[in-house]
Amino acid sequence: MGEQLGKRGMVIMRNPTAFLREEYEELVKSELDWRLRVLQGPSTPWCIVDGKKVLMFCSNNYLGLSNHPRLKEAAMKAVQTHGAGSGSVRPIAGNMDLHIELEKRLAKFKHAEASLVYQTGFAANAGLIPQLVGKGDLIISDELNHGSIIDGVRLSHAERAVYKHTDMQDLQRVLEEAEKHSPPYKRILLITDGVFSMDGDIAPLDEIAKLCSEHGVMVYVDDAHGEGVLGDGGRGIVSHFKLRRDAVHVEMGTFSKAFGVVGGHISGSRDLINFAYNRSRTWLLSGSHPPPVAAACIASIDVLESEPQHVRTLWEHTKYFKKAMKDLGFDIGTSQTPITPVIVGESGVAKRLSTRLFEEGIFALPIVYPMVARDRARIRTIMNAALTRKDLDFAIAAFEKIGKELEII
């Protein structure tokens, strides 16, 4: 492996970065590598990807807001009034009036006491979870929680307990065992995704909140894929289940999906927000949102409040597409949301399906291990309110043609 002995007999690697290529080549060999395509223009239903006109079928842009004229206008106006960047982190000199306005608007939209905006959703989880709990505490986590939650949990140094996916009997078991722990845990935090991004199913947050209340456990929900989709006017999973803020203590979300822009956020009590912006290092030590981003986020809330048709259309499209795919014989799992996985099993099959779909004019990416189990590779489709019924029929026909060609259906 290119080793040599140094002056004192120590083994020295001739090329200490050789493992980078070796591990990448192993990923390619196993068909587990990501091959990035290039979006050349806005994220619209029909867009240009790698020079080819295709139907966008895998974007998180649920409501089509990323190219909405009100968001673009707000962003351009903010550049004129506030410049291209904030110039600092928020605790020092980067706390603009636009950031304050955004958080007030978000809290009002969420029916929460207060909200705090992070640079990304990942930054929210990685920066807040380790501050809420630490050594001597316990985190209880759904086994299918996604990567940014997992990384936040690892950074916390708290003990961990995992319950079977959305299994409330197993959660009850974990909670009862936690109560018997000696010495008693100082704090216990339960964390769950609201909508699970690979399967599209919804956490039973009402049952989770009830169980946690009985055991004195803090509840943290990552609602990245529920905002703009679930609840009254797209207000998310807390609204969907009509839960009180004293039942769900931290509602984390993102502007990067249904809101059509970028950025993470949390909503809850004023105490939570005061605690977070004084203790959360990803917030404290990262530059604040550029003015056009903050302004576009404000505009996205305006659109959700004044144009309810986007959420309605999203669900109409979702029901139509799911029924058609199920009728054709595709395995679409247990999805309850606009995320519709087309599960094919082997990674190679998922990649071939994605390639053929692209050739037929559909941009839909394969999801393979380790993002899903090795035998559960899939094409993850995500519905978009900006699509038309004609677009959906085009996609369904392509899936039917290629599904038969590859002997999936």
Side-chain angles (χ1 to χ4, degrees):
M1 288 291 292
E3 297 176 352
Q4 64 180 4
L5 292 178
K7 291 181 180 180
R8 298 184 180 179
M10 296 178 63
V11 175
I12 300 173
M13 297 296 296
R14 286 180 181 169
N15 182 358
T17 62
F19 75 96
L20 299 173
R21 178 175 294 182
E22 291 167 4
E23 293 202 12
Y24 172 71
E25 289 175 348
E26 184 59 36
L27 288 172
V28 173
K29 182 180 177 181
S30 303
E31 296 188 293
L32 298 176
D33 60 308
W34 283 96
R35 297 174 188 176
L36 302 182
R37 295 191 181 276
V38 180
L39 176 61
Q40 298 160 289
S43 179
T44 50
W46 285 95
C47 53
I48 305 299
V49 176
D50 287 352
K52 180 180 176 65
K53 184 178 180 182
V54 291
L55 187 64
M56 176 66 78
F57 231 65
C58 57
S59 168
N60 292 322
N61 184 25
Y62 289 102
L63 303 177
L65 299 189
S66 67
N67 201 46
H68 194 289
R70 289 171 66 179
L71 273 68
K72 293 193 292 185
E73 181 183 356
M76 290 187 287
K77 182 179 178 181
V79 170
Q80 296 300 320
T81 59
H82 288 70
S86 69
S88 183
V89 297
R90 284 184 64 184
I92 298 177
N95 188 35
M96 291 183 156
D97 53 355
L98 286 172
H99 300 129
I100 301 299
E101 180 184 353
L102 172 58
E103 288 168 347
K104 288 180 178 178
R105 290 296 312 282
L106 179 61
K108 183 180 178 182
F109 179 74
K110 287 285 189 176
H111 300 152
E113 272 187 12
S115 296
L116 184 68
V117 173
Y118 282 74
Q119 290 72 19
T120 65
F122 203 119
N125 283 338
L128 182 57
I129 293 169
Q131 300 304 321
L132 294 173
V133 286
K135 191 173 181 180
D137 298 329
L138 176 69
I139 293 178
I140 301 174
S141 180
D142 186 290
E143 67 178 342
L144 292 188
N145 280 344
H146 67 75
S148 68
I149 292 177
I150 293 169
D151 282 1
V153 170
R154 286 172 176 163
L155 288 168
S156 73
H157 303 296
E159 292 186 35
R160 295 163 235 167
V162 176
Y163 63 94
K164 295 176 184 177
H165 179 53
T166 66
D167 186 328
M168 294 300 96
Q169 285 189 333
D170 199 43
L171 174 57
Q172 176 74 51
R173 174 191 64 79
V174 171
L175 288 166
E176 289 174 354
E177 289 180 1
E179 280 192 339
K180 299 173 186 175
H181 188 268
S182 181
Y185 292 113
K186 292 182 294 183
R187 300 175 193 161
I188 301 177
L189 174 67
L190 180 138
I191 304 180
T192 182
D193 275 306
V195 173
F196 292 88
S197 61
M198 293 301 137
D199 291 291
D201 54 333
I202 302 172
L205 193 61
D206 52 346
E207 298 178 59
I208 290 171
K210 183 176 184 295
L211 283 171
C212 287
S213 176
E214 292 170 358
H215 293 269
V217 172
M218 187 188 314
V219 178
Y220 184 127
V221 62
D222 178 331
D223 199 32
H225 286 275
E227 291 178 327
V229 176
L230 301 176
D232 177 26
R235 284 173 171 79
I237 192 167
V238 174
S239 169
H240 174 76
F241 284 108
K242 297 179 173 57
L243 295 170
R244 292 162 50 99
R245 289 287 162 186
D246 57 0
V248 178
H249 308 96
V250 185
E251 182 182 13
M252 173 268 171
T254 178
F255 288 106
S256 308
K257 295 179 171 60
F259 283 111
V261 197
V262 70
H265 56 82
I266 58 170
S267 294
S269 68
R270 170 53 64 186
D271 288 339
L272 169 70
I273 302 313
N274 288 342
F275 173 89
Y277 78 68
N278 279 281
R279 295 289 299 274
S280 186
R281 294 205 296 179
T282 54
W283 188 89
L284 286 162
L285 303 179
S286 297
S288 60
H289 276 331
V293 171
C297 289
I298 294 169
S300 69
I301 297 172
D302 289 338
V303 171
L304 257 75
E305 289 180 328
S306 62
E307 300 178 13
Q309 68 269 24
H310 301 298
V311 178
R312 288 199 303 267
T313 302
L314 175 68
W315 279 102
E316 289 168 2
H317 288 351
T318 296
K319 292 171 184 175
Y320 182 82
F321 181 71
K322 283 185 189 295
K323 182 179 185 305
M325 295 295 283
K326 194 170 182 179
D327 288 347
L328 286 172
F330 283 103
D331 179 0
I332 61 171
T334 57
S335 172
Q336 302 164 274
T337 64
I339 298 170
T340 303
V342 181
I343 302 168
V344 298
E346 296 179 6
S347 297
V349 176
K351 291 199 167 190
R352 286 192 290 278
L353 176 55
S354 176
T355 298
R356 283 291 293 116
L357 284 168
F358 191 79
E359 291 170 354
E360 295 290 328
I362 306 291
F363 183 32
L365 290 178
I367 303 294
V368 301
Y369 179 83
M371 297 183 76
V372 293
R374 289 185 184 275
D375 61 347
R376 299 289 286 172
R378 66 201 58 193
I379 298 294
R380 183 181 66 167
T381 70
I382 299 182
M383 201 46 55
N384 189 315
L387 296 168
T388 65
R389 185 61 62 88
K390 184 178 179 182
D391 294 334
L392 298 182
D393 289 337
F394 176 83
I396 292 163
F399 269 103
E400 180 179 16
K401 174 184 175 180
I402 303 164
K404 292 176 178 176
E405 176 187 308
L406 298 180
E407 299 182 345
I408 297 169
I409 56 173

